[in-house]
Amino acid sequence: MLNKGSDPMILGWPIELVAGISLIIILIVIYVAALYKSFKKYENAERDAGEVLLEIVPSKRILKLRRIDIVATIGIFLFFYLSEFIHYKVLPPMRMEIGIVLIGAIASFYLNDKPQKICENGIVVRYGLVSWSNIKEIMPIDETDDSINIILYKRMNLGKKITLYCQSEDIMNVLHMIERKINVNPEIV
């Protein structure tokens, strides 16, 4: 039985501490499972893709935007992480949880940097393998000279559109290679 004014306990530990440790463990399990699944999916896609015909190199503009995203994300998380040390309380002390989220964000950026590859059996992107039969339409993005939208028949990951990023001087080569692959008649080949 609890005495008046005492904090609730679980197995002799304060409930806030147990809740915090539980949250940390749950976050770690979720991140490890999600990262494992993503790495496995990409690895399986590479295995199933067949021979690599072209590895697509992103343009300097895209690489610069990705780096800005990484730096901004790390900066925001570090602000919250260090806010307790500089006595500027933005959030309750959550250094461990914020650190875990930061590690997950960095891992996500790493996955985003995995190379896109045009292969014998489809296009390898970070979500997996886009088979040639799943490509409905391809089109360059008008506002840029280094991006191609691929519209899919079947939903993949979050939607029916995948964007490839390549060097502006390679865009026509990438477009023609994809067009040749999706227009190949399987009965003739």
Side-chain angles (χ1 to χ4, degrees):
M1 185 164 180
L2 290 174
N3 296 333
K4 256 189 170 176
S6 69
D7 291 331
M9 307 281 266
I10 296 179
L11 299 173
W13 294 43
I15 197 161
E16 293 85 15
L17 180 63
V18 172
I21 291 172
S22 300
L23 177 62
I24 290 168
I25 291 170
I26 290 168
L27 284 174
I28 289 171
V29 168
I30 289 170
Y31 276 130
V32 168
L35 289 174
Y36 178 78
K37 181 181 176 190
S38 296
F39 282 114
K40 260 328 223 187
K41 202 173 200 181
Y42 188 84
E43 184 181 284
N44 291 340
E46 283 185 314
R47 186 192 65 230
D48 297 340
E51 181 184 346
V52 175
L53 305 174
L54 178 68
E55 188 168 310
I56 301 171
V57 178
S59 69
K60 287 182 175 33
R61 180 184 72 85
I62 294 301
L63 292 174
K64 183 178 176 183
L65 288 173
R66 287 180 181 169
R67 298 308 170 250
I68 290 170
D69 283 349
I70 290 171
V71 170
T73 302
I74 290 172
I76 290 168
F77 280 108
L78 283 176
F79 171 76
F80 287 114
Y81 189 76
L82 297 174
S83 68
E84 184 177 327
F85 293 116
I86 56 176
H87 305 293
Y88 184 71
K89 302 267 184 191
V90 177
L91 296 171
M94 296 176 47
R95 286 192 314 263
M96 184 65 88
E97 293 90 336
I98 291 171
I100 292 168
V101 172
L102 176 61
I103 291 167
I106 291 170
S108 174
F109 286 123
Y110 172 75
L111 280 173
N112 196 28
D113 274 350
K114 287 288 206 180
Q116 298 172 322
K117 302 174 184 176
I118 297 178
C119 300
E120 196 60 41
N121 299 324
I123 302 171
V124 177
V125 295
R126 69 182 174 139
Y127 310 117
L129 179 66
V130 179
S131 66
W132 297 120
S133 61
N134 191 20
I135 297 176
K136 181 178 183 178
E137 182 181 357
I138 59 172
M139 63 185 115
I141 299 175
D142 293 333
E143 304 86 49
T144 67
D145 61 348
D146 60 0
S147 305
I148 301 169
N149 273 338
I150 298 177
I151 310 302
L152 307 174
Y153 285 112
K154 290 186 281 183
R155 183 178 182 86
M156 184 173 185
N157 200 37
L158 298 175
K160 288 188 168 189
K161 182 176 79 168
I162 302 285
T163 303
L164 297 180
Y165 301 105
C166 59
Q167 302 282 333
S168 55
E169 58 270 10
D170 293 340
I171 196 161
M172 293 313 289
N173 183 32
V174 171
L175 279 168
H176 290 306
M177 186 174 280
I178 295 171
E179 285 172 346
R180 281 195 305 269
K181 286 306 223 173
I182 62 176
N183 291 326
V184 169
N185 186 344
E187 289 132 18
I188 296 174
V189 175

PDB file of all heavy atoms in Angstrom, residues 139-173:
ATOM      1  N   MET A 139       8.620  10.185 -67.163  1.00  0.00           N
ATOM      2  CA  MET A 139       8.660  11.561 -67.676  1.00  0.00           C
ATOM      3  C   MET A 139       9.673  12.378 -66.902  1.00  0.00           C
ATOM      4  O   MET A 139       9.780  12.244 -65.676  1.00  0.00           O
ATOM      5  CB  MET A 139       7.283  12.200 -67.602  1.00  0.00           C
ATOM      6  CG  MET A 139       6.730  12.356 -66.205  1.00  0.00           C
ATOM      7  SD  MET A 139       5.064  12.965 -66.222  1.00  0.00           S
ATOM      8  CE  MET A 139       4.232  11.554 -65.541  1.00  0.00           C
ATOM      9  N   PRO A 140      10.431  13.214 -67.615  1.00  0.00           N
ATOM     10  CA  PRO A 140      11.323  14.126 -66.891  1.00  0.00           C
ATOM     11  C   PRO A 140      10.496  15.170 -66.154  1.00  0.00           C
ATOM     12  O   PRO A 140       9.405  15.523 -66.578  1.00  0.00           O
ATOM     13  CB  PRO A 140      12.163  14.768 -67.990  1.00  0.00           C
ATOM     14  CG  PRO A 140      11.594  14.326 -69.282  1.00  0.00           C
ATOM     15  CD  PRO A 140      10.535  13.314 -69.039  1.00  0.00           C
ATOM     16  N   ILE A 141      11.011  15.644 -65.040  1.00  0.00           N
ATOM     17  CA  ILE A 141      10.323  16.694 -64.284  1.00  0.00           C
ATOM     18  C   ILE A 141      10.696  18.025 -64.916  1.00  0.00           C
ATOM     19  O   ILE A 141      11.874  18.342 -65.065  1.00  0.00           O
ATOM     20  CB  ILE A 141      10.719  16.640 -62.796  1.00  0.00           C
ATOM     21  CG1 ILE A 141      10.310  15.280 -62.213  1.00  0.00           C
ATOM     22  CG2 ILE A 141      10.079  17.775 -62.021  1.00  0.00           C
ATOM     23  CD1 ILE A 141      10.757  15.064 -60.779  1.00  0.00           C
ATOM     24  N   ASP A 142       9.694  18.809 -65.298  1.00  0.00           N
ATOM     25  CA  ASP A 142       9.918  20.045 -66.046  1.00  0.00           C
ATOM     26  C   ASP A 142      10.776  21.067 -65.314  1.00  0.00           C
ATOM     27  O   ASP A 142      11.601  21.724 -65.923  1.00  0.00           O
ATOM     28  CB  ASP A 142       8.574  20.698 -66.418  1.00  0.00           C
ATOM     29  CG  ASP A 142       7.795  19.854 -67.411  1.00  0.00           C
ATOM     30  OD1 ASP A 142       8.438  19.100 -68.166  1.00  0.00           O
ATOM     31  OD2 ASP A 142       6.565  19.943 -67.424  1.00  0.00           O
ATOM     32  N   GLU A 143      10.574  21.199 -64.010  1.00  0.00           N
ATOM     33  CA  GLU A 143      11.276  22.254 -63.267  1.00  0.00           C
ATOM     34  C   GLU A 143      12.770  21.980 -63.118  1.00  0.00           C
ATOM     35  O   GLU A 143      13.545  22.868 -62.815  1.00  0.00           O
ATOM     36  CB  GLU A 143      10.690  22.427 -61.856  1.00  0.00           C
ATOM     37  CG  GLU A 143       9.208  22.704 -61.789  1.00  0.00           C
ATOM     38  CD  GLU A 143       8.383  21.420 -61.809  1.00  0.00           C
ATOM     39  OE1 GLU A 143       8.656  20.473 -61.059  1.00  0.00           O
ATOM     40  OE2 GLU A 143       7.446  21.374 -62.612  1.00  0.00           O
ATOM     41  N   THR A 144      13.174  20.727 -63.274  1.00  0.00           N
ATOM     42  CA  THR A 144      14.585  20.382 -63.095  1.00  0.00           C
ATOM     43  C   THR A 144      15.094  19.670 -64.343  1.00  0.00           C
ATOM     44  O   THR A 144      14.325  19.205 -65.167  1.00  0.00           O
ATOM     45  CB  THR A 144      14.773  19.443 -61.888  1.00  0.00           C
ATOM     46  OG1 THR A 144      14.169  18.193 -62.187  1.00  0.00           O
ATOM     47  CG2 THR A 144      14.183  20.026 -60.632  1.00  0.00           C
ATOM     48  N   ASP A 145      16.397  19.599 -64.438  1.00  0.00           N
ATOM     49  CA  ASP A 145      16.966  18.862 -65.563  1.00  0.00           C
ATOM     50  C   ASP A 145      17.710  17.627 -65.083  1.00  0.00           C
ATOM     51  O   ASP A 145      18.517  17.063 -65.796  1.00  0.00           O
ATOM     52  CB  ASP A 145      17.904  19.766 -66.369  1.00  0.00           C
ATOM     53  CG  ASP A 145      19.074  20.274 -65.537  1.00  0.00           C
ATOM     54  OD1 ASP A 145      19.032  20.123 -64.307  1.00  0.00           O
ATOM     55  OD2 ASP A 145      20.020  20.805 -66.128  1.00  0.00           O
ATOM     56  N   ASP A 146      17.420  17.194 -63.860  1.00  0.00           N
ATOM     57  CA  ASP A 146      18.141  16.058 -63.300  1.00  0.00           C
ATOM     58  C   ASP A 146      17.237  15.052 -62.594  1.00  0.00           C
ATOM     59  O   ASP A 146      17.696  14.246 -61.804  1.00  0.00           O
ATOM     60  CB  ASP A 146      19.222  16.543 -62.330  1.00  0.00           C
ATOM     61  CG  ASP A 146      18.653  17.343 -61.166  1.00  0.00           C
ATOM     62  OD1 ASP A 146      17.417  17.521 -61.097  1.00  0.00           O
ATOM     63  OD2 ASP A 146      19.452  17.791 -60.329  1.00  0.00           O
ATOM     64  N   SER A 147      15.928  15.090 -62.873  1.00  0.00           N
ATOM     65  CA  SER A 147      14.985  14.208 -62.184  1.00  0.00           C
ATOM     66  C   SER A 147      13.995  13.606 -63.166  1.00  0.00           C
ATOM     67  O   SER A 147      13.557  14.268 -64.101  1.00  0.00           O
ATOM     68  CB  SER A 147      14.210  14.982 -61.115  1.00  0.00           C
ATOM     69  OG  SER A 147      15.097  15.620 -60.233  1.00  0.00           O
ATOM     70  N   ILE A 148      13.649  12.356 -62.903  1.00  0.00           N
ATOM     71  CA  ILE A 148      12.692  11.634 -63.741  1.00  0.00           C
ATOM     72  C   ILE A 148      11.641  11.028 -62.824  1.00  0.00           C
ATOM     73  O   ILE A 148      11.986  10.364 -61.843  1.00  0.00           O
ATOM     74  CB  ILE A 148      13.385  10.493 -64.525  1.00  0.00           C
ATOM     75  CG1 ILE A 148      14.504  11.037 -65.410  1.00  0.00           C
ATOM     76  CG2 ILE A 148      12.372   9.702 -65.337  1.00  0.00           C
ATOM     77  CD1 ILE A 148      15.394   9.957 -65.997  1.00  0.00           C
ATOM     78  N   ASN A 149      10.380  11.262 -63.128  1.00  0.00           N
ATOM     79  CA  ASN A 149       9.290  10.612 -62.396  1.00  0.00           C
ATOM     80  C   ASN A 149       8.930   9.321 -63.109  1.00  0.00           C
ATOM     81  O   ASN A 149       8.796   9.296 -64.337  1.00  0.00           O
ATOM     82  CB  ASN A 149       8.053  11.507 -62.336  1.00  0.00           C
ATOM     83  CG  ASN A 149       8.098  12.443 -61.155  1.00  0.00           C
ATOM     84  OD1 ASN A 149       8.793  12.207 -60.179  1.00  0.00           O
ATOM     85  ND2 ASN A 149       7.344  13.518 -61.244  1.00  0.00           N
ATOM     86  N   ILE A 150       8.749   8.279 -62.329  1.00  0.00           N
ATOM     87  CA  ILE A 150       8.301   7.000 -62.866  1.00  0.00           C
ATOM     88  C   ILE A 150       6.962   6.701 -62.215  1.00  0.00           C
ATOM     89  O   ILE A 150       6.869   6.574 -60.989  1.00  0.00           O
ATOM     90  CB  ILE A 150       9.318   5.881 -62.566  1.00  0.00           C
ATOM     91  CG1 ILE A 150      10.645   6.217 -63.232  1.00  0.00           C
ATOM     92  CG2 ILE A 150       8.790   4.536 -63.020  1.00  0.00           C
ATOM     93  CD1 ILE A 150      11.747   5.233 -62.957  1.00  0.00           C
ATOM     94  N   ILE A 151       5.927   6.618 -63.044  1.00  0.00           N
ATOM     95  CA  ILE A 151       4.574   6.328 -62.555  1.00  0.00           C
ATOM     96  C   ILE A 151       4.375   4.806 -62.629  1.00  0.00           C
ATOM     97  O   ILE A 151       4.638   4.195 -63.663  1.00  0.00           O
ATOM     98  CB  ILE A 151       3.503   7.056 -63.410  1.00  0.00           C
ATOM     99  CG1 ILE A 151       3.838   8.544 -63.581  1.00  0.00           C
ATOM    100  CG2 ILE A 151       2.119   6.858 -62.822  1.00  0.00           C
ATOM    101  CD1 ILE A 151       3.977   9.327 -62.309  1.00  0.00           C
ATOM    102  N   LEU A 152       3.904   4.250 -61.527  1.00  0.00           N
ATOM    103  CA  LEU A 152       3.775   2.795 -61.425  1.00  0.00           C
ATOM    104  C   LEU A 152       2.325   2.350 -61.540  1.00  0.00           C
ATOM    105  O   LEU A 152       1.408   3.091 -61.229  1.00  0.00           O
ATOM    106  CB  LEU A 152       4.341   2.326 -60.084  1.00  0.00           C
ATOM    107  CG  LEU A 152       5.756   2.771 -59.753  1.00  0.00           C
ATOM    108  CD1 LEU A 152       6.112   2.362 -58.335  1.00  0.00           C
ATOM    109  CD2 LEU A 152       6.745   2.217 -60.746  1.00  0.00           C
ATOM    110  N   TYR A 153       2.136   1.100 -61.982  1.00  0.00           N
ATOM    111  CA  TYR A 153       0.800   0.513 -61.993  1.00  0.00           C
ATOM    112  C   TYR A 153       0.375   0.143 -60.575  1.00  0.00           C
ATOM    113  O   TYR A 153      -0.729   0.424 -60.153  1.00  0.00           O
ATOM    114  CB  TYR A 153       0.776  -0.769 -62.850  1.00  0.00           C
ATOM    115  CG  TYR A 153       0.797  -0.499 -64.329  1.00  0.00           C
ATOM    116  CD1 TYR A 153       1.911  -0.833 -65.093  1.00  0.00           C
ATOM    117  CD2 TYR A 153      -0.296   0.062 -64.978  1.00  0.00           C
ATOM    118  CE1 TYR A 153       1.931  -0.601 -66.454  1.00  0.00           C
ATOM    119  CE2 TYR A 153      -0.284   0.311 -66.333  1.00  0.00           C
ATOM    120  CZ  TYR A 153       0.827  -0.027 -67.078  1.00  0.00           C
ATOM    121  OH  TYR A 153       0.846   0.207 -68.413  1.00  0.00           O
ATOM    122  N   LYS A 154       1.278  -0.517 -59.863  1.00  0.00           N
ATOM    123  CA  LYS A 154       0.969  -0.967 -58.498  1.00  0.00           C
ATOM    124  C   LYS A 154       1.719  -0.113 -57.485  1.00  0.00           C
ATOM    125  O   LYS A 154       2.859   0.250 -57.699  1.00  0.00           O
ATOM    126  CB  LYS A 154       1.371  -2.434 -58.309  1.00  0.00           C
ATOM    127  CG  LYS A 154       0.499  -3.401 -59.060  1.00  0.00           C
ATOM    128  CD  LYS A 154       0.847  -4.825 -58.710  1.00  0.00           C
ATOM    129  CE  LYS A 154       2.092  -5.229 -59.467  1.00  0.00           C
ATOM    130  NZ  LYS A 154       2.527  -6.573 -59.299  1.00  0.00           N
ATOM    131  N   ARG A 155       1.071   0.149 -56.387  1.00  0.00           N
ATOM    132  CA  ARG A 155       1.640   0.942 -55.298  1.00  0.00           C
ATOM    133  C   ARG A 155       2.921   0.292 -54.786  1.00  0.00           C
ATOM    134  O   ARG A 155       2.996  -0.910 -54.605  1.00  0.00           O
ATOM    135  CB  ARG A 155       0.586   1.027 -54.195  1.00  0.00           C
ATOM    136  CG  ARG A 155       0.946   1.854 -53.035  1.00  0.00           C
ATOM    137  CD  ARG A 155      -0.245   1.851 -52.064  1.00  0.00           C
ATOM    138  NE  ARG A 155       0.015   2.662 -50.935  1.00  0.00           N
ATOM    139  CZ  ARG A 155      -0.201   3.960 -50.887  1.00  0.00           C
ATOM    140  NH1 ARG A 155      -0.710   4.571 -51.927  1.00  0.00           N
ATOM    141  NH2 ARG A 155       0.075   4.657 -49.827  1.00  0.00           N
ATOM    142  N   MET A 156       3.919   1.133 -54.537  1.00  0.00           N
ATOM    143  CA  MET A 156       5.172   0.663 -53.949  1.00  0.00           C
ATOM    144  C   MET A 156       5.519   1.597 -52.811  1.00  0.00           C
ATOM    145  O   MET A 156       5.628   2.801 -53.014  1.00  0.00           O
ATOM    146  CB  MET A 156       6.272   0.660 -54.996  1.00  0.00           C
ATOM    147  CG  MET A 156       7.568   0.111 -54.519  1.00  0.00           C
ATOM    148  SD  MET A 156       8.704  -0.019 -55.884  1.00  0.00           S
ATOM    149  CE  MET A 156      10.044  -0.821 -55.057  1.00  0.00           C
ATOM    150  N   ASN A 157       5.697   1.053 -51.624  1.00  0.00           N
ATOM    151  CA  ASN A 157       5.997   1.823 -50.428  1.00  0.00           C
ATOM    152  C   ASN A 157       4.900   2.845 -50.162  1.00  0.00           C
ATOM    153  O   ASN A 157       3.821   2.491 -49.751  1.00  0.00           O
ATOM    154  CB  ASN A 157       7.375   2.468 -50.508  1.00  0.00           C
ATOM    155  CG  ASN A 157       7.904   2.849 -49.137  1.00  0.00           C
ATOM    156  OD1 ASN A 157       7.679   2.128 -48.176  1.00  0.00           O
ATOM    157  ND2 ASN A 157       8.571   3.959 -49.037  1.00  0.00           N
ATOM    158  N   LEU A 158       5.139   4.130 -50.435  1.00  0.00           N
ATOM    159  CA  LEU A 158       4.166   5.160 -50.071  1.00  0.00           C
ATOM    160  C   LEU A 158       3.264   5.609 -51.207  1.00  0.00           C
ATOM    161  O   LEU A 158       2.355   6.383 -50.990  1.00  0.00           O
ATOM    162  CB  LEU A 158       4.904   6.378 -49.498  1.00  0.00           C
ATOM    163  CG  LEU A 158       5.706   6.111 -48.231  1.00  0.00           C
ATOM    164  CD1 LEU A 158       6.479   7.347 -47.831  1.00  0.00           C
ATOM    165  CD2 LEU A 158       4.813   5.655 -47.101  1.00  0.00           C
ATOM    166  N   GLY A 159       3.527   5.198 -52.420  1.00  0.00           N
ATOM    167  CA  GLY A 159       2.690   5.686 -53.505  1.00  0.00           C
ATOM    168  C   GLY A 159       2.994   5.009 -54.828  1.00  0.00           C
ATOM    169  O   GLY A 159       3.704   4.019 -54.896  1.00  0.00           O
ATOM    170  N   LYS A 160       2.449   5.608 -55.877  1.00  0.00           N
ATOM    171  CA  LYS A 160       2.611   5.059 -57.217  1.00  0.00           C
ATOM    172  C   LYS A 160       3.602   5.870 -58.042  1.00  0.00           C
ATOM    173  O   LYS A 160       3.537   5.860 -59.261  1.00  0.00           O
ATOM    174  CB  LYS A 160       1.264   5.020 -57.929  1.00  0.00           C
ATOM    175  CG  LYS A 160       0.332   3.970 -57.399  1.00  0.00           C
ATOM    176  CD  LYS A 160      -0.891   3.880 -58.283  1.00  0.00           C
ATOM    177  CE  LYS A 160      -1.695   2.649 -57.948  1.00  0.00           C
ATOM    178  NZ  LYS A 160      -2.749   2.437 -58.932  1.00  0.00           N
ATOM    179  N   LYS A 161       4.502   6.588 -57.369  1.00  0.00           N
ATOM    180  CA  LYS A 161       5.481   7.391 -58.093  1.00  0.00           C
ATOM    181  C   LYS A 161       6.843   7.246 -57.441  1.00  0.00           C
ATOM    182  O   LYS A 161       6.977   7.293 -56.230  1.00  0.00           O
ATOM    183  CB  LYS A 161       5.060   8.858 -58.096  1.00  0.00           C
ATOM    184  CG  LYS A 161       5.991   9.765 -58.875  1.00  0.00           C
ATOM    185  CD  LYS A 161       5.481  11.179 -58.928  1.00  0.00           C
ATOM    186  CE  LYS A 161       5.791  11.875 -57.624  1.00  0.00           C
ATOM    187  NZ  LYS A 161       5.600  13.307 -57.629  1.00  0.00           N
ATOM    188  N   ILE A 162       7.848   7.030 -58.277  1.00  0.00           N
ATOM    189  CA  ILE A 162       9.235   6.957 -57.837  1.00  0.00           C
ATOM    190  C   ILE A 162       9.982   8.043 -58.604  1.00  0.00           C
ATOM    191  O   ILE A 162       9.723   8.262 -59.787  1.00  0.00           O
ATOM    192  CB  ILE A 162       9.856   5.586 -58.183  1.00  0.00           C
ATOM    193  CG1 ILE A 162       9.082   4.441 -57.560  1.00  0.00           C
ATOM    194  CG2 ILE A 162      11.330   5.533 -57.826  1.00  0.00           C
ATOM    195  CD1 ILE A 162       9.278   4.260 -56.098  1.00  0.00           C
ATOM    196  N   THR A 163      10.897   8.712 -57.948  1.00  0.00           N
ATOM    197  CA  THR A 163      11.700   9.735 -58.632  1.00  0.00           C
ATOM    198  C   THR A 163      13.150   9.268 -58.685  1.00  0.00           C
ATOM    199  O   THR A 163      13.719   8.891 -57.663  1.00  0.00           O
ATOM    200  CB  THR A 163      11.612  11.090 -57.908  1.00  0.00           C
ATOM    201  OG1 THR A 163      10.237  11.475 -57.823  1.00  0.00           O
ATOM    202  CG2 THR A 163      12.378  12.163 -58.657  1.00  0.00           C
ATOM    203  N   LEU A 164      13.704   9.275 -59.886  1.00  0.00           N
ATOM    204  CA  LEU A 164      15.120   8.987 -60.070  1.00  0.00           C
ATOM    205  C   LEU A 164      15.853  10.314 -60.206  1.00  0.00           C
ATOM    206  O   LEU A 164      15.374  11.223 -60.879  1.00  0.00           O
ATOM    207  CB  LEU A 164      15.353   8.165 -61.345  1.00  0.00           C
ATOM    208  CG  LEU A 164      14.746   6.777 -61.421  1.00  0.00           C
ATOM    209  CD1 LEU A 164      15.091   6.137 -62.759  1.00  0.00           C
ATOM    210  CD2 LEU A 164      15.236   5.911 -60.280  1.00  0.00           C
ATOM    211  N   TYR A 165      17.006  10.416 -59.586  1.00  0.00           N
ATOM    212  CA  TYR A 165      17.826  11.620 -59.669  1.00  0.00           C
ATOM    213  C   TYR A 165      19.129  11.261 -60.357  1.00  0.00           C
ATOM    214  O   TYR A 165      19.809  10.323 -59.946  1.00  0.00           O
ATOM    215  CB  TYR A 165      18.112  12.179 -58.272  1.00  0.00           C
ATOM    216  CG  TYR A 165      16.866  12.528 -57.503  1.00  0.00           C
ATOM    217  CD1 TYR A 165      16.415  11.722 -56.473  1.00  0.00           C
ATOM    218  CD2 TYR A 165      16.136  13.664 -57.832  1.00  0.00           C
ATOM    219  CE1 TYR A 165      15.267  12.034 -55.774  1.00  0.00           C
ATOM    220  CE2 TYR A 165      14.990  13.988 -57.134  1.00  0.00           C
ATOM    221  CZ  TYR A 165      14.551  13.179 -56.112  1.00  0.00           C
ATOM    222  OH  TYR A 165      13.418  13.491 -55.421  1.00  0.00           O
ATOM    223  N   CYS A 166      19.460  11.986 -61.414  1.00  0.00           N
ATOM    224  CA  CYS A 166      20.677  11.680 -62.152  1.00  0.00           C
ATOM    225  C   CYS A 166      21.373  12.974 -62.577  1.00  0.00           C
ATOM    226  O   CYS A 166      20.825  14.064 -62.425  1.00  0.00           O
ATOM    227  CB  CYS A 166      20.361  10.816 -63.361  1.00  0.00           C
ATOM    228  SG  CYS A 166      19.209  11.560 -64.525  1.00  0.00           S
ATOM    229  N   GLN A 167      22.568  12.825 -63.109  1.00  0.00           N
ATOM    230  CA  GLN A 167      23.291  13.972 -63.646  1.00  0.00           C
ATOM    231  C   GLN A 167      22.495  14.510 -64.839  1.00  0.00           C
ATOM    232  O   GLN A 167      21.924  13.737 -65.616  1.00  0.00           O
ATOM    233  CB  GLN A 167      24.693  13.553 -64.119  1.00  0.00           C
ATOM    234  CG  GLN A 167      25.554  12.929 -63.051  1.00  0.00           C
ATOM    235  CD  GLN A 167      26.140  13.966 -62.126  1.00  0.00           C
ATOM    236  OE1 GLN A 167      26.342  15.106 -62.489  1.00  0.00           O
ATOM    237  NE2 GLN A 167      26.416  13.551 -60.900  1.00  0.00           N
ATOM    238  N   SER A 168      22.459  15.827 -65.008  1.00  0.00           N
ATOM    239  CA  SER A 168      21.671  16.407 -66.103  1.00  0.00           C
ATOM    240  C   SER A 168      22.160  15.923 -67.462  1.00  0.00           C
ATOM    241  O   SER A 168      21.367  15.732 -68.375  1.00  0.00           O
ATOM    242  CB  SER A 168      21.683  17.935 -66.021  1.00  0.00           C
ATOM    243  OG  SER A 168      23.000  18.408 -66.000  1.00  0.00           O
ATOM    244  N   GLU A 169      23.470  15.675 -67.607  1.00  0.00           N
ATOM    245  CA  GLU A 169      23.976  15.202 -68.899  1.00  0.00           C
ATOM    246  C   GLU A 169      23.619  13.736 -69.159  1.00  0.00           C
ATOM    247  O   GLU A 169      23.696  13.267 -70.289  1.00  0.00           O
ATOM    248  CB  GLU A 169      25.495  15.415 -69.014  1.00  0.00           C
ATOM    249  CG  GLU A 169      26.322  14.741 -67.949  1.00  0.00           C
ATOM    250  CD  GLU A 169      26.564  15.613 -66.719  1.00  0.00           C
ATOM    251  OE1 GLU A 169      25.961  16.681 -66.577  1.00  0.00           O
ATOM    252  OE2 GLU A 169      27.370  15.184 -65.881  1.00  0.00           O
ATOM    253  N   ASP A 170      23.175  13.004 -68.129  1.00  0.00           N
ATOM    254  CA  ASP A 170      22.817  11.589 -68.287  1.00  0.00           C
ATOM    255  C   ASP A 170      21.318  11.358 -68.439  1.00  0.00           C
ATOM    256  O   ASP A 170      20.898  10.237 -68.677  1.00  0.00           O
ATOM    257  CB  ASP A 170      23.293  10.789 -67.061  1.00  0.00           C
ATOM    258  CG  ASP A 170      24.795  10.730 -66.954  1.00  0.00           C
ATOM    259  OD1 ASP A 170      25.477  10.948 -67.973  1.00  0.00           O
ATOM    260  OD2 ASP A 170      25.287  10.473 -65.836  1.00  0.00           O
ATOM    261  N   ILE A 171      20.515  12.395 -68.301  1.00  0.00           N
ATOM    262  CA  ILE A 171      19.062  12.188 -68.224  1.00  0.00           C
ATOM    263  C   ILE A 171      18.492  11.541 -69.495  1.00  0.00           C
ATOM    264  O   ILE A 171      17.660  10.640 -69.409  1.00  0.00           O
ATOM    265  CB  ILE A 171      18.318  13.496 -67.864  1.00  0.00           C
ATOM    266  CG1 ILE A 171      16.893  13.163 -67.408  1.00  0.00           C
ATOM    267  CG2 ILE A 171      18.295  14.473 -69.018  1.00  0.00           C
ATOM    268  CD1 ILE A 171      16.233  14.256 -66.623  1.00  0.00           C
ATOM    269  N   MET A 172      18.956  11.957 -70.657  1.00  0.00           N
ATOM    270  CA  MET A 172      18.436  11.373 -71.902  1.00  0.00           C
ATOM    271  C   MET A 172      18.848   9.905 -72.017  1.00  0.00           C
ATOM    272  O   MET A 172      18.046   9.066 -72.439  1.00  0.00           O
ATOM    273  CB  MET A 172      18.901  12.176 -73.115  1.00  0.00           C
ATOM    274  CG  MET A 172      18.298  13.582 -73.166  1.00  0.00           C
ATOM    275  SD  MET A 172      16.506  13.639 -72.888  1.00  0.00           S
ATOM    276  CE  MET A 172      15.889  12.915 -74.375  1.00  0.00           C
ATOM    277  N   ASN A 173      20.065   9.587 -71.612  1.00  0.00           N
ATOM    278  CA  ASN A 173      20.530   8.205 -71.640  1.00  0.00           C
ATOM    279  C   ASN A 173      19.685   7.339 -70.705  1.00  0.00           C
ATOM    280  O   ASN A 173      19.273   6.233 -71.064  1.00  0.00           O
ATOM    281  CB  ASN A 173      22.015   8.152 -71.244  1.00  0.00           C
ATOM    282  CG  ASN A 173      22.585   6.760 -71.318  1.00  0.00           C
ATOM    283  OD1 ASN A 173      22.177   5.944 -72.142  1.00  0.00           O
ATOM    284  ND2 ASN A 173      23.528   6.491 -70.443  1.00  0.00           N
TER     285      ASN A 173
END
